[in-house]
Amino acid sequence: MWLYLIIMRGCDLSRRGDNVNRKLLAALGGAVLALSLAACGGEGAGGDTDTSGQDPKDLTIGVSMPTQTSERWIADGNSVKEKLEGKGYKVDLQYAGDDIPTQSQQVDQMITQGADVLIIAAIDGTALSGQLQAAADKKIPVIAYDRLIRDSKNVDFYVSFDNYKVGVAQANALLTGLGLQTKDGAKGDKTGPFNIELFAGSLDDNNAHFFFDGAMDTLKPFIDNKSLVVKSGQTNIEKVAILRWQQETAQKRMEDLLTSTYNDGSKVNGVLSPYDGLSRGIITALQNAGYGTAANPIPVVTGQDAEIASVKLINDGVQSSTIFKDTRLLAEQAVIAAEAFLKKQAPQANDTKTYDNGVKVVPSYLLPVVTVYKDDIKKELIDSGYYTAEEVAAGQAK
Ligand code: GAL
């Protein structure tokens, strides 16, 4: 009986979504939250009809991905589709060309065409509330894929990586590349001061904030003790963010920084970049300005996603590092969560505290991340079957 009361109270709290109540709900813990999800009609676990005994070939999973201009989302889309089709499900995979109205329209269409579960990597984390309400009205469970969907109670589950730790890993890779620290976090043999510049992702992507916070918490002591100097003075996320994670915008900002801040003969020694696409834009700007020679070495540039073009740059000693997030594992978790919903079960979360989307804490499954420097490419990316040695050498995936 007490369990029933907690579950029903949990439904009530999560619907009302006020701050204190959300904290209380989060405190109820994973198991009870999972049960409460399963019991909350209209906010979660299950479609209009009972799909639990249905043949997978009669069930459709709508998969909405943000863009095909970045290779990682193509890999994500393909992995999710392959894995679901391997289990016999029908898959409606759509890419939205980084255009918010297109993504809204595609999700609308998935709903009207009778999707049984939705897996969505949002372009703008706050722009899909209407679609999510329509999904909830039809009791279609929604899984946020890698990017949290914000400001809606109708997000049932979140699969991602530990995004704060991604930022910490990027900052540590910058410190290691500069020699202020060793790979295992011990004091390095260099003391600086080093000039660095900071970049962040798209402000409408929840992840961008987690990456930046993790990185800045890690860099702060080094900025405070002056072994790192952000010469432009631009340390605010609003100042350093790159809308839609565009490579060209990052290149332009780096060019502007070089002209405005480094026209006195001083050099940039390191750049915190949160994503490989941005890193490539930043590197192009630096190379165009004459960096990349023995006398004028390329700064330490970080990254994320282990995109093949950047893995080649790391192998060639141009980019310093990337953070590898195995999209095969992420796709697998999305499929596990989708199947749980289809069986009227709550997917298993391993984090029920961190991802407050502004309305509720979304139960999440977070995967670990790996920092890849040149020496790690073979073990982490080739031996694991993510890329072949030929693909790394060519900088192109087949
Ligand atoms: C983020 C994602 C990163 C990167 C970036 C740009 O949401 O977590 O891994 O892919 O988008 O696509």
Side-chain angles (χ1 to χ4, degrees), residues 346-383:
Q348 187 163 3
N350 65 4
D351 184 302
T352 52
K353 291 202 178 92
T354 310
Y355 287 95
D356 183 334
N357 78 346
V359 176
K360 73 183 217 186
V361 177
V362 183
S364 310
Y365 195 96
L366 305 181
L367 290 155
V369 298
V370 181
T371 306
V372 171
Y373 303 91
K374 184 175 178 168
D375 291 351
D376 307 300
I377 292 176
K378 185 171 179 317
K379 173 168 173 268
E380 301 295 345
L381 301 176
I382 298 175
D383 294 352

PDB file of all heavy atoms in Angstrom, residues 346-383:
ATOM      1  N   ALA A 346       9.352   0.113 -17.451  1.00  0.00           N
ATOM      2  CA  ALA A 346      10.168   1.330 -17.393  1.00  0.00           C
ATOM      3  C   ALA A 346      11.606   0.930 -17.675  1.00  0.00           C
ATOM      4  O   ALA A 346      12.111   0.000 -17.072  1.00  0.00           O
ATOM      5  CB  ALA A 346      10.064   1.956 -16.017  1.00  0.00           C
ATOM      6  N   PRO A 347      12.277   1.612 -18.600  1.00  0.00           N
ATOM      7  CA  PRO A 347      13.674   1.293 -18.863  1.00  0.00           C
ATOM      8  C   PRO A 347      14.517   1.526 -17.606  1.00  0.00           C
ATOM      9  O   PRO A 347      14.184   2.382 -16.787  1.00  0.00           O
ATOM     10  CB  PRO A 347      14.088   2.294 -19.945  1.00  0.00           C
ATOM     11  CG  PRO A 347      12.848   2.931 -20.423  1.00  0.00           C
ATOM     12  CD  PRO A 347      11.799   2.755 -19.390  1.00  0.00           C
ATOM     13  N   GLN A 348      15.600   0.784 -17.516  1.00  0.00           N
ATOM     14  CA  GLN A 348      16.439   0.925 -16.336  1.00  0.00           C
ATOM     15  C   GLN A 348      17.313   2.184 -16.440  1.00  0.00           C
ATOM     16  O   GLN A 348      18.066   2.341 -17.401  1.00  0.00           O
ATOM     17  CB  GLN A 348      17.321  -0.299 -16.192  1.00  0.00           C
ATOM     18  CG  GLN A 348      18.067  -0.225 -14.894  1.00  0.00           C
ATOM     19  CD  GLN A 348      18.635  -1.559 -14.491  1.00  0.00           C
ATOM     20  OE1 GLN A 348      18.518  -2.551 -15.216  1.00  0.00           O
ATOM     21  NE2 GLN A 348      19.263  -1.576 -13.341  1.00  0.00           N
ATOM     22  N   ALA A 349      17.181   3.055 -15.432  1.00  0.00           N
ATOM     23  CA  ALA A 349      17.991   4.282 -15.409  1.00  0.00           C
ATOM     24  C   ALA A 349      19.221   4.054 -14.535  1.00  0.00           C
ATOM     25  O   ALA A 349      19.184   3.241 -13.613  1.00  0.00           O
ATOM     26  CB  ALA A 349      17.154   5.420 -14.839  1.00  0.00           C
ATOM     27  N   ASN A 350      20.319   4.734 -14.823  1.00  0.00           N
ATOM     28  CA  ASN A 350      21.450   4.724 -13.881  1.00  0.00           C
ATOM     29  C   ASN A 350      21.708   6.115 -13.312  1.00  0.00           C
ATOM     30  O   ASN A 350      22.674   6.341 -12.603  1.00  0.00           O
ATOM     31  CB  ASN A 350      22.710   4.106 -14.495  1.00  0.00           C
ATOM     32  CG  ASN A 350      23.269   4.910 -15.652  1.00  0.00           C
ATOM     33  OD1 ASN A 350      22.762   5.993 -15.972  1.00  0.00           O
ATOM     34  ND2 ASN A 350      24.304   4.399 -16.293  1.00  0.00           N
ATOM     35  N   ASP A 351      20.827   7.072 -13.659  1.00  0.00           N
ATOM     36  CA  ASP A 351      20.914   8.416 -13.071  1.00  0.00           C
ATOM     37  C   ASP A 351      19.497   8.983 -13.002  1.00  0.00           C
ATOM     38  O   ASP A 351      18.812   9.089 -14.027  1.00  0.00           O
ATOM     39  CB  ASP A 351      21.803   9.313 -13.940  1.00  0.00           C
ATOM     40  CG  ASP A 351      21.993  10.684 -13.312  1.00  0.00           C
ATOM     41  OD1 ASP A 351      20.995  11.384 -13.060  1.00  0.00           O
ATOM     42  OD2 ASP A 351      23.145  11.069 -13.058  1.00  0.00           O
ATOM     43  N   THR A 352      19.072   9.318 -11.807  1.00  0.00           N
ATOM     44  CA  THR A 352      17.720   9.877 -11.652  1.00  0.00           C
ATOM     45  C   THR A 352      17.782  11.232 -10.948  1.00  0.00           C
ATOM     46  O   THR A 352      16.820  11.672 -10.336  1.00  0.00           O
ATOM     47  CB  THR A 352      16.811   8.917 -10.843  1.00  0.00           C
ATOM     48  OG1 THR A 352      17.473   8.586  -9.635  1.00  0.00           O
ATOM     49  CG2 THR A 352      16.503   7.657 -11.621  1.00  0.00           C
ATOM     50  N   LYS A 353      18.945  11.882 -11.034  1.00  0.00           N
ATOM     51  CA  LYS A 353      19.104  13.153 -10.314  1.00  0.00           C
ATOM     52  C   LYS A 353      19.559  14.307 -11.196  1.00  0.00           C
ATOM     53  O   LYS A 353      19.201  15.454 -10.975  1.00  0.00           O
ATOM     54  CB  LYS A 353      20.178  12.989  -9.224  1.00  0.00           C
ATOM     55  CG  LYS A 353      19.774  12.095  -8.097  1.00  0.00           C
ATOM     56  CD  LYS A 353      20.625  12.415  -6.868  1.00  0.00           C
ATOM     57  CE  LYS A 353      20.205  11.550  -5.702  1.00  0.00           C
ATOM     58  NZ  LYS A 353      20.983  10.311  -5.640  1.00  0.00           N
ATOM     59  N   THR A 354      20.384  14.011 -12.205  1.00  0.00           N
ATOM     60  CA  THR A 354      21.143  15.084 -12.864  1.00  0.00           C
ATOM     61  C   THR A 354      20.338  15.873 -13.877  1.00  0.00           C
ATOM     62  O   THR A 354      20.487  17.075 -13.988  1.00  0.00           O
ATOM     63  CB  THR A 354      22.383  14.468 -13.555  1.00  0.00           C
ATOM     64  OG1 THR A 354      23.047  13.638 -12.607  1.00  0.00           O
ATOM     65  CG2 THR A 354      23.339  15.547 -14.041  1.00  0.00           C
ATOM     66  N   TYR A 355      19.480  15.202 -14.640  1.00  0.00           N
ATOM     67  CA  TYR A 355      18.903  15.859 -15.812  1.00  0.00           C
ATOM     68  C   TYR A 355      17.501  16.407 -15.568  1.00  0.00           C
ATOM     69  O   TYR A 355      16.501  15.816 -15.939  1.00  0.00           O
ATOM     70  CB  TYR A 355      19.005  14.934 -17.040  1.00  0.00           C
ATOM     71  CG  TYR A 355      20.432  14.881 -17.497  1.00  0.00           C
ATOM     72  CD1 TYR A 355      21.288  13.874 -17.083  1.00  0.00           C
ATOM     73  CD2 TYR A 355      20.955  15.917 -18.258  1.00  0.00           C
ATOM     74  CE1 TYR A 355      22.626  13.876 -17.448  1.00  0.00           C
ATOM     75  CE2 TYR A 355      22.288  15.940 -18.627  1.00  0.00           C
ATOM     76  CZ  TYR A 355      23.112  14.913 -18.217  1.00  0.00           C
ATOM     77  OH  TYR A 355      24.440  14.929 -18.567  1.00  0.00           O
ATOM     78  N   ASP A 356      17.490  17.565 -14.923  1.00  0.00           N
ATOM     79  CA  ASP A 356      16.266  18.315 -14.705  1.00  0.00           C
ATOM     80  C   ASP A 356      16.030  19.126 -15.983  1.00  0.00           C
ATOM     81  O   ASP A 356      16.856  19.949 -16.357  1.00  0.00           O
ATOM     82  CB  ASP A 356      16.483  19.244 -13.506  1.00  0.00           C
ATOM     83  CG  ASP A 356      15.234  20.016 -13.146  1.00  0.00           C
ATOM     84  OD1 ASP A 356      14.386  20.240 -14.039  1.00  0.00           O
ATOM     85  OD2 ASP A 356      15.113  20.406 -11.973  1.00  0.00           O
ATOM     86  N   ASN A 357      14.912  18.876 -16.650  1.00  0.00           N
ATOM     87  CA  ASN A 357      14.711  19.553 -17.939  1.00  0.00           C
ATOM     88  C   ASN A 357      13.917  20.855 -17.796  1.00  0.00           C
ATOM     89  O   ASN A 357      13.423  21.397 -18.780  1.00  0.00           O
ATOM     90  CB  ASN A 357      14.056  18.606 -18.960  1.00  0.00           C
ATOM     91  CG  ASN A 357      12.559  18.438 -18.747  1.00  0.00           C
ATOM     92  OD1 ASN A 357      12.020  18.803 -17.703  1.00  0.00           O
ATOM     93  ND2 ASN A 357      11.879  17.882 -19.739  1.00  0.00           N
ATOM     94  N   GLY A 358      13.799  21.324 -16.554  1.00  0.00           N
ATOM     95  CA  GLY A 358      13.068  22.558 -16.317  1.00  0.00           C
ATOM     96  C   GLY A 358      11.667  22.282 -15.811  1.00  0.00           C
ATOM     97  O   GLY A 358      11.033  23.148 -15.216  1.00  0.00           O
ATOM     98  N   VAL A 359      11.187  21.073 -16.043  1.00  0.00           N
ATOM     99  CA  VAL A 359       9.847  20.692 -15.585  1.00  0.00           C
ATOM    100  C   VAL A 359       9.927  19.458 -14.696  1.00  0.00           C
ATOM    101  O   VAL A 359       9.212  19.319 -13.720  1.00  0.00           O
ATOM    102  CB  VAL A 359       8.919  20.401 -16.794  1.00  0.00           C
ATOM    103  CG1 VAL A 359       7.566  19.916 -16.328  1.00  0.00           C
ATOM    104  CG2 VAL A 359       8.762  21.646 -17.652  1.00  0.00           C
ATOM    105  N   LYS A 360      10.822  18.555 -15.046  1.00  0.00           N
ATOM    106  CA  LYS A 360      10.974  17.345 -14.234  1.00  0.00           C
ATOM    107  C   LYS A 360      12.394  16.792 -14.385  1.00  0.00           C
ATOM    108  O   LYS A 360      13.117  17.173 -15.319  1.00  0.00           O
ATOM    109  CB  LYS A 360       9.954  16.300 -14.670  1.00  0.00           C
ATOM    110  CG  LYS A 360      10.263  15.644 -16.011  1.00  0.00           C
ATOM    111  CD  LYS A 360       9.151  14.677 -16.402  1.00  0.00           C
ATOM    112  CE  LYS A 360       9.664  13.456 -17.081  1.00  0.00           C
ATOM    113  NZ  LYS A 360       8.633  12.576 -17.598  1.00  0.00           N
ATOM    114  N   VAL A 361      12.749  15.904 -13.466  1.00  0.00           N
ATOM    115  CA  VAL A 361      14.026  15.214 -13.600  1.00  0.00           C
ATOM    116  C   VAL A 361      13.782  13.997 -14.483  1.00  0.00           C
ATOM    117  O   VAL A 361      12.943  13.152 -14.160  1.00  0.00           O
ATOM    118  CB  VAL A 361      14.583  14.793 -12.225  1.00  0.00           C
ATOM    119  CG1 VAL A 361      15.879  14.016 -12.387  1.00  0.00           C
ATOM    120  CG2 VAL A 361      14.808  16.022 -11.358  1.00  0.00           C
ATOM    121  N   VAL A 362      14.474  13.941 -15.599  1.00  0.00           N
ATOM    122  CA  VAL A 362      14.229  12.862 -16.555  1.00  0.00           C
ATOM    123  C   VAL A 362      15.139  11.681 -16.204  1.00  0.00           C
ATOM    124  O   VAL A 362      16.363  11.848 -16.135  1.00  0.00           O
ATOM    125  CB  VAL A 362      14.500  13.334 -18.005  1.00  0.00           C
ATOM    126  CG1 VAL A 362      14.177  12.215 -19.000  1.00  0.00           C
ATOM    127  CG2 VAL A 362      13.694  14.590 -18.318  1.00  0.00           C
ATOM    128  N   PRO A 363      14.559  10.495 -15.969  1.00  0.00           N
ATOM    129  CA  PRO A 363      15.410   9.328 -15.683  1.00  0.00           C
ATOM    130  C   PRO A 363      16.327   9.051 -16.878  1.00  0.00           C
ATOM    131  O   PRO A 363      15.884   9.091 -18.020  1.00  0.00           O
ATOM    132  CB  PRO A 363      14.419   8.180 -15.462  1.00  0.00           C
ATOM    133  CG  PRO A 363      13.095   8.663 -15.918  1.00  0.00           C
ATOM    134  CD  PRO A 363      13.123  10.156 -15.989  1.00  0.00           C
ATOM    135  N   SER A 364      17.586   8.781 -16.583  1.00  0.00           N
ATOM    136  CA  SER A 364      18.593   8.755 -17.649  1.00  0.00           C
ATOM    137  C   SER A 364      19.449   7.503 -17.581  1.00  0.00           C
ATOM    138  O   SER A 364      19.669   6.937 -16.506  1.00  0.00           O
ATOM    139  CB  SER A 364      19.539   9.949 -17.499  1.00  0.00           C
ATOM    140  OG  SER A 364      18.816  11.143 -17.347  1.00  0.00           O
ATOM    141  N   TYR A 365      19.975   7.138 -18.727  1.00  0.00           N
ATOM    142  CA  TYR A 365      21.045   6.135 -18.767  1.00  0.00           C
ATOM    143  C   TYR A 365      22.262   6.821 -19.369  1.00  0.00           C
ATOM    144  O   TYR A 365      22.239   7.232 -20.525  1.00  0.00           O
ATOM    145  CB  TYR A 365      20.652   4.905 -19.593  1.00  0.00           C
ATOM    146  CG  TYR A 365      21.603   3.761 -19.322  1.00  0.00           C
ATOM    147  CD1 TYR A 365      21.289   2.779 -18.381  1.00  0.00           C
ATOM    148  CD2 TYR A 365      22.847   3.702 -19.939  1.00  0.00           C
ATOM    149  CE1 TYR A 365      22.188   1.763 -18.083  1.00  0.00           C
ATOM    150  CE2 TYR A 365      23.755   2.703 -19.645  1.00  0.00           C
ATOM    151  CZ  TYR A 365      23.414   1.732 -18.718  1.00  0.00           C
ATOM    152  OH  TYR A 365      24.310   0.730 -18.408  1.00  0.00           O
ATOM    153  N   LEU A 366      23.306   6.976 -18.559  1.00  0.00           N
ATOM    154  CA  LEU A 366      24.502   7.704 -19.000  1.00  0.00           C
ATOM    155  C   LEU A 366      25.666   6.750 -19.216  1.00  0.00           C
ATOM    156  O   LEU A 366      25.954   5.910 -18.356  1.00  0.00           O
ATOM    157  CB  LEU A 366      24.900   8.742 -17.947  1.00  0.00           C
ATOM    158  CG  LEU A 366      23.824   9.752 -17.533  1.00  0.00           C
ATOM    159  CD1 LEU A 366      24.381  10.732 -16.505  1.00  0.00           C
ATOM    160  CD2 LEU A 366      23.277  10.509 -18.738  1.00  0.00           C
ATOM    161  N   LEU A 367      26.323   6.897 -20.356  1.00  0.00           N
ATOM    162  CA  LEU A 367      27.462   6.034 -20.690  1.00  0.00           C
ATOM    163  C   LEU A 367      28.776   6.760 -20.402  1.00  0.00           C
ATOM    164  O   LEU A 367      28.828   7.994 -20.458  1.00  0.00           O
ATOM    165  CB  LEU A 367      27.394   5.675 -22.180  1.00  0.00           C
ATOM    166  CG  LEU A 367      26.256   4.743 -22.558  1.00  0.00           C
ATOM    167  CD1 LEU A 367      25.865   4.917 -24.015  1.00  0.00           C
ATOM    168  CD2 LEU A 367      26.631   3.304 -22.279  1.00  0.00           C
ATOM    169  N   PRO A 368      29.839   5.987 -20.147  1.00  0.00           N
ATOM    170  CA  PRO A 368      31.135   6.627 -19.875  1.00  0.00           C
ATOM    171  C   PRO A 368      31.823   7.106 -21.157  1.00  0.00           C
ATOM    172  O   PRO A 368      31.459   6.676 -22.256  1.00  0.00           O
ATOM    173  CB  PRO A 368      31.956   5.500 -19.234  1.00  0.00           C
ATOM    174  CG  PRO A 368      31.333   4.249 -19.723  1.00  0.00           C
ATOM    175  CD  PRO A 368      29.885   4.539 -20.022  1.00  0.00           C
ATOM    176  N   VAL A 369      32.799   7.987 -21.006  1.00  0.00           N
ATOM    177  CA  VAL A 369      33.509   8.534 -22.177  1.00  0.00           C
ATOM    178  C   VAL A 369      35.011   8.257 -22.056  1.00  0.00           C
ATOM    179  O   VAL A 369      35.504   8.024 -20.959  1.00  0.00           O
ATOM    180  CB  VAL A 369      33.272  10.053 -22.303  1.00  0.00           C
ATOM    181  CG1 VAL A 369      31.811  10.337 -22.504  1.00  0.00           C
ATOM    182  CG2 VAL A 369      33.815  10.818 -21.097  1.00  0.00           C
ATOM    183  N   VAL A 370      35.686   8.287 -23.191  1.00  0.00           N
ATOM    184  CA  VAL A 370      37.120   7.963 -23.212  1.00  0.00           C
ATOM    185  C   VAL A 370      37.888   9.088 -23.921  1.00  0.00           C
ATOM    186  O   VAL A 370      37.506   9.498 -25.022  1.00  0.00           O
ATOM    187  CB  VAL A 370      37.357   6.649 -24.003  1.00  0.00           C
ATOM    188  CG1 VAL A 370      38.824   6.269 -24.015  1.00  0.00           C
ATOM    189  CG2 VAL A 370      36.509   5.519 -23.465  1.00  0.00           C
ATOM    190  N   THR A 371      38.954   9.566 -23.313  1.00  0.00           N
ATOM    191  CA  THR A 371      39.808  10.560 -23.983  1.00  0.00           C
ATOM    192  C   THR A 371      40.763   9.844 -24.930  1.00  0.00           C
ATOM    193  O   THR A 371      41.391   8.853 -24.551  1.00  0.00           O
ATOM    194  CB  THR A 371      40.630  11.347 -22.945  1.00  0.00           C
ATOM    195  OG1 THR A 371      39.718  11.892 -21.992  1.00  0.00           O
ATOM    196  CG2 THR A 371      41.424  12.480 -23.600  1.00  0.00           C
ATOM    197  N   VAL A 372      40.848  10.333 -26.156  1.00  0.00           N
ATOM    198  CA  VAL A 372      41.735   9.708 -27.147  1.00  0.00           C
ATOM    199  C   VAL A 372      42.794  10.708 -27.592  1.00  0.00           C
ATOM    200  O   VAL A 372      42.476  11.756 -28.161  1.00  0.00           O
ATOM    201  CB  VAL A 372      40.917   9.203 -28.360  1.00  0.00           C
ATOM    202  CG1 VAL A 372      41.828   8.751 -29.491  1.00  0.00           C
ATOM    203  CG2 VAL A 372      39.984   8.068 -27.952  1.00  0.00           C
ATOM    204  N   TYR A 373      44.058  10.388 -27.288  1.00  0.00           N
ATOM    205  CA  TYR A 373      45.207  11.096 -27.862  1.00  0.00           C
ATOM    206  C   TYR A 373      45.742  10.193 -28.975  1.00  0.00           C
ATOM    207  O   TYR A 373      45.259   9.070 -29.159  1.00  0.00           O
ATOM    208  CB  TYR A 373      46.308  11.291 -26.806  1.00  0.00           C
ATOM    209  CG  TYR A 373      45.883  12.025 -25.554  1.00  0.00           C
ATOM    210  CD1 TYR A 373      45.405  11.328 -24.440  1.00  0.00           C
ATOM    211  CD2 TYR A 373      45.982  13.413 -25.463  1.00  0.00           C
ATOM    212  CE1 TYR A 373      45.036  11.990 -23.281  1.00  0.00           C
ATOM    213  CE2 TYR A 373      45.612  14.082 -24.300  1.00  0.00           C
ATOM    214  CZ  TYR A 373      45.145  13.367 -23.217  1.00  0.00           C
ATOM    215  OH  TYR A 373      44.771  14.019 -22.072  1.00  0.00           O
ATOM    216  N   LYS A 374      46.773  10.670 -29.664  1.00  0.00           N
ATOM    217  CA  LYS A 374      47.327   9.882 -30.775  1.00  0.00           C
ATOM    218  C   LYS A 374      47.617   8.427 -30.357  1.00  0.00           C
ATOM    219  O   LYS A 374      47.255   7.488 -31.074  1.00  0.00           O
ATOM    220  CB  LYS A 374      48.607  10.569 -31.280  1.00  0.00           C
ATOM    221  CG  LYS A 374      49.205   9.896 -32.469  1.00  0.00           C
ATOM    222  CD  LYS A 374      50.382  10.674 -33.014  1.00  0.00           C
ATOM    223  CE  LYS A 374      50.949   9.872 -34.185  1.00  0.00           C
ATOM    224  NZ  LYS A 374      51.894  10.601 -34.982  1.00  0.00           N
ATOM    225  N   ASP A 375      48.225   8.247 -29.180  1.00  0.00           N
ATOM    226  CA  ASP A 375      48.621   6.905 -28.733  1.00  0.00           C
ATOM    227  C   ASP A 375      47.443   5.984 -28.462  1.00  0.00           C
ATOM    228  O   ASP A 375      47.627   4.770 -28.318  1.00  0.00           O
ATOM    229  CB  ASP A 375      49.390   7.003 -27.405  1.00  0.00           C
ATOM    230  CG  ASP A 375      50.725   7.645 -27.599  1.00  0.00           C
ATOM    231  OD1 ASP A 375      51.109   7.847 -28.766  1.00  0.00           O
ATOM    232  OD2 ASP A 375      51.382   7.953 -26.572  1.00  0.00           O
ATOM    233  N   ASP A 376      46.257   6.549 -28.319  1.00  0.00           N
ATOM    234  CA  ASP A 376      45.093   5.722 -27.961  1.00  0.00           C
ATOM    235  C   ASP A 376      44.278   5.286 -29.178  1.00  0.00           C
ATOM    236  O   ASP A 376      43.327   4.516 -29.041  1.00  0.00           O
ATOM    237  CB  ASP A 376      44.158   6.498 -27.023  1.00  0.00           C
ATOM    238  CG  ASP A 376      44.900   7.051 -25.830  1.00  0.00           C
ATOM    239  OD1 ASP A 376      45.471   6.247 -25.084  1.00  0.00           O
ATOM    240  OD2 ASP A 376      44.935   8.290 -25.674  1.00  0.00           O
ATOM    241  N   ILE A 377      44.607   5.829 -30.350  1.00  0.00           N
ATOM    242  CA  ILE A 377      43.762   5.572 -31.524  1.00  0.00           C
ATOM    243  C   ILE A 377      43.648   4.072 -31.799  1.00  0.00           C
ATOM    244  O   ILE A 377      42.560   3.545 -32.026  1.00  0.00           O
ATOM    245  CB  ILE A 377      44.310   6.325 -32.771  1.00  0.00           C
ATOM    246  CG1 ILE A 377      44.136   7.834 -32.567  1.00  0.00           C
ATOM    247  CG2 ILE A 377      43.592   5.870 -34.043  1.00  0.00           C
ATOM    248  CD1 ILE A 377      44.709   8.700 -33.677  1.00  0.00           C
ATOM    249  N   LYS A 378      44.795   3.392 -31.742  1.00  0.00           N
ATOM    250  CA  LYS A 378      44.762   1.965 -32.103  1.00  0.00           C
ATOM    251  C   LYS A 378      43.847   1.199 -31.139  1.00  0.00           C
ATOM    252  O   LYS A 378      42.909   0.530 -31.567  1.00  0.00           O
ATOM    253  CB  LYS A 378      46.182   1.392 -32.102  1.00  0.00           C
ATOM    254  CG  LYS A 378      46.192  -0.045 -32.577  1.00  0.00           C
ATOM    255  CD  LYS A 378      47.596  -0.576 -32.805  1.00  0.00           C
ATOM    256  CE  LYS A 378      47.584  -2.026 -33.262  1.00  0.00           C
ATOM    257  NZ  LYS A 378      46.666  -2.927 -32.567  1.00  0.00           N
ATOM    258  N   LYS A 379      44.126   1.354 -29.849  1.00  0.00           N
ATOM    259  CA  LYS A 379      43.372   0.566 -28.867  1.00  0.00           C
ATOM    260  C   LYS A 379      41.874   0.931 -28.861  1.00  0.00           C
ATOM    261  O   LYS A 379      41.006   0.075 -28.939  1.00  0.00           O
ATOM    262  CB  LYS A 379      43.970   0.793 -27.477  1.00  0.00           C
ATOM    263  CG  LYS A 379      43.177   0.171 -26.352  1.00  0.00           C
ATOM    264  CD  LYS A 379      43.965   0.187 -25.044  1.00  0.00           C
ATOM    265  CE  LYS A 379      43.100  -0.269 -23.898  1.00  0.00           C
ATOM    266  NZ  LYS A 379      42.402   0.797 -23.200  1.00  0.00           N
ATOM    267  N   GLU A 380      41.590   2.226 -28.768  1.00  0.00           N
ATOM    268  CA  GLU A 380      40.191   2.634 -28.551  1.00  0.00           C
ATOM    269  C   GLU A 380      39.345   2.614 -29.825  1.00  0.00           C
ATOM    270  O   GLU A 380      38.154   2.309 -29.770  1.00  0.00           O
ATOM    271  CB  GLU A 380      40.127   4.048 -27.943  1.00  0.00           C
ATOM    272  CG  GLU A 380      40.833   4.197 -26.612  1.00  0.00           C
ATOM    273  CD  GLU A 380      40.197   3.376 -25.495  1.00  0.00           C
ATOM    274  OE1 GLU A 380      39.058   2.908 -25.663  1.00  0.00           O
ATOM    275  OE2 GLU A 380      40.875   3.188 -24.461  1.00  0.00           O
ATOM    276  N   LEU A 381      39.958   2.974 -30.951  1.00  0.00           N
ATOM    277  CA  LEU A 381      39.137   3.171 -32.150  1.00  0.00           C
ATOM    278  C   LEU A 381      39.317   2.081 -33.200  1.00  0.00           C
ATOM    279  O   LEU A 381      38.354   1.731 -33.897  1.00  0.00           O
ATOM    280  CB  LEU A 381      39.430   4.549 -32.772  1.00  0.00           C
ATOM    281  CG  LEU A 381      39.174   5.746 -31.856  1.00  0.00           C
ATOM    282  CD1 LEU A 381      39.593   7.043 -32.532  1.00  0.00           C
ATOM    283  CD2 LEU A 381      37.694   5.822 -31.458  1.00  0.00           C
ATOM    284  N   ILE A 382      40.534   1.550 -33.317  1.00  0.00           N
ATOM    285  CA  ILE A 382      40.747   0.535 -34.358  1.00  0.00           C
ATOM    286  C   ILE A 382      40.481  -0.862 -33.796  1.00  0.00           C
ATOM    287  O   ILE A 382      39.656  -1.610 -34.333  1.00  0.00           O
ATOM    288  CB  ILE A 382      42.167   0.657 -34.965  1.00  0.00           C
ATOM    289  CG1 ILE A 382      42.310   2.047 -35.621  1.00  0.00           C
ATOM    290  CG2 ILE A 382      42.422  -0.461 -35.984  1.00  0.00           C
ATOM    291  CD1 ILE A 382      43.668   2.377 -36.158  1.00  0.00           C
ATOM    292  N   ASP A 383      41.140  -1.185 -32.668  1.00  0.00           N
ATOM    293  CA  ASP A 383      40.930  -2.532 -32.105  1.00  0.00           C
ATOM    294  C   ASP A 383      39.476  -2.746 -31.680  1.00  0.00           C
ATOM    295  O   ASP A 383      38.992  -3.873 -31.656  1.00  0.00           O
ATOM    296  CB  ASP A 383      41.868  -2.777 -30.909  1.00  0.00           C
ATOM    297  CG  ASP A 383      43.329  -2.805 -31.345  1.00  0.00           C
ATOM    298  OD1 ASP A 383      43.578  -2.795 -32.571  1.00  0.00           O
ATOM    299  OD2 ASP A 383      44.222  -2.816 -30.471  1.00  0.00           O
TER     300      ASP A 383
END
